[in-house]
Amino acid sequence: MTKGKTILLMIIGLAGISWGVYECNYYVSYRNDLSQRPWAYSEDKKADLLVGTWQGNFLDPDGVRKTIRLEILVPMTEDERAKKASHRTRHRKGLGSRSDKKRFDGFATVTSQRGIEEYEFYGAVSDKTGSRLNTIHFRALDEKQQLRKNFNVLSAVDGGQWQGDQLILTLAFTYNTATGSGYSSSADPRFDKKVTVHFSRVQS
């Protein structure tokens, strides 16, 4: 066998090994998520998962009717898993840790006669079933664009519930004055008011 053929066979062999390692890493990562994050992954394409788009309506502490839409992101997309398996750096932005099997993040939009509120959020399920949620923290995507003289969403308190196509969260709020600063008054019950929202899944 010539030297050239030997080198070619070595290159082919190394490529095969590299591909095998990639496939193994991808498979192990996916199987682990199926086991540890059943609220986010399923081999059944029609399975009801916590991740996805949800919508609900509520009256804020001022009595303003609002619609809230949540997009709970899958913890790791297929592209990100492929990059991780091949040891390439991932650049996805987000608030949740990719290594914490209970954490999730996403985006929220609240619409009303007062305008549009855009948020990003992060939270965690209390166990791997995902049926109960811990506190979800919201923050404005752009504080400069945050609505003034308005009760903005601060959090969904501990104890949220998810089952199938139903999601129930209790929202807490923070009030922004005309100057953009926060304000609260213990003498005014509006500032301590929490609102329970029943969400329905938005079918894609």
Side-chain angles (χ1 to χ4, degrees), residues 39 47-56 67-74 105-109 121 162 164-167 169 198-204:
W39 50 271
D48 294 325
L49 303 174
L50 175 62
V51 299
T53 305
W54 300 86
Q55 184 167 302
T67 296
I68 180 170
R69 192 178 182 99
L70 305 177
E71 182 186 0
I72 302 177
L73 302 176
V74 64
D105 57 22
F107 299 96
T109 302
F121 63 80
W162 162 65
D165 286 330
Q166 298 296 317
L167 174 65
L169 300 177
H198 292 258
F199 291 85
S200 297
R201 187 184 303 279
V202 177
Q203 301 295 340
S204 57

Side-chain angles (χ1 to χ4, degrees), residues 60-62 66 114 116-119 138-154 172-185 190-191:
D60 80 357
D62 261 342
K66 297 182 175 181
R114 290 187 172 173
I116 299 175
E117 306 164 40
E118 298 280 0
Y119 302 92
F138 289 74
R139 70 184 185 196
L141 272 177
D142 185 348
E143 292 186 359
K144 294 181 180 179
Q145 299 298 321
Q146 197 168 24
L147 288 185
R148 308 291 175 86
K149 300 175 68 175
N150 181 66
F151 280 96
N152 297 300
V153 180
L154 175 65
F173 303 87
T174 182
Y175 186 79
N176 273 30
T177 67
T179 62
S181 59
Y183 176 77
S184 182
S185 171
R190 294 179 305 161
F191 294 97

Side-chain angles (χ1 to χ4, degrees), residues 9 25 27-28 32 34 54 69 115 121 124 161 175 178 181 187 198:
L9 288 174
N25 287 341
Y27 178 80
V28 169
N32 282 341
L34 285 174
W54 300 86
R69 192 178 182 99
F121 63 80
Q161 299 175 47
Y175 186 79
S181 59
H198 292 258

Side-chain angles (χ1 to χ4, degrees), residues 9-42:
L9 288 174
M10 289 179 62
I11 292 173
I12 293 173
L14 289 173
I17 292 172
S18 177
W19 178 252
V21 170
Y22 165 82
E23 286 289 311
C24 182
N25 287 341
Y26 187 98
Y27 178 80
V28 169
S29 172
Y30 179 63
R31 299 310 300 184
N32 282 341
D33 275 342
L34 285 174
S35 172
Q36 298 177 29
R37 288 168 164 161
W39 50 271
Y41 299 95
S42 174

Side-chain angles (χ1 to χ4, degrees), residues 38-109:
W39 50 271
Y41 299 95
S42 174
E43 291 182 296
D44 181 359
K45 300 300 183 182
K46 297 182 179 180
D48 294 325
L49 303 174
L50 175 62
V51 299
T53 305
W54 300 86
Q55 184 167 302
N57 301 297
F58 66 95
L59 296 178
D60 80 357
D62 261 342
V64 177
R65 183 171 297 278
K66 297 182 175 181
T67 296
I68 180 170
R69 192 178 182 99
L70 305 177
E71 182 186 0
I72 302 177
L73 302 176
V74 64
M76 184 180 294
T77 67
E78 291 186 10
D79 285 345
E80 289 172 335
R81 195 183 306 280
K83 291 177 182 178
K84 181 180 179 182
S86 62
H87 303 290
R88 287 182 286 172
T89 303
R90 291 178 295 143
H91 299 287
R92 174 183 174 183
K93 295 180 179 179
L95 297 172
S97 167
R98 297 292 167 260
S99 60
D100 188 334
K101 298 299 183 181
K102 294 181 179 180
R103 285 177 66 101
F104 59 83
D105 57 22
F107 299 96
T109 302

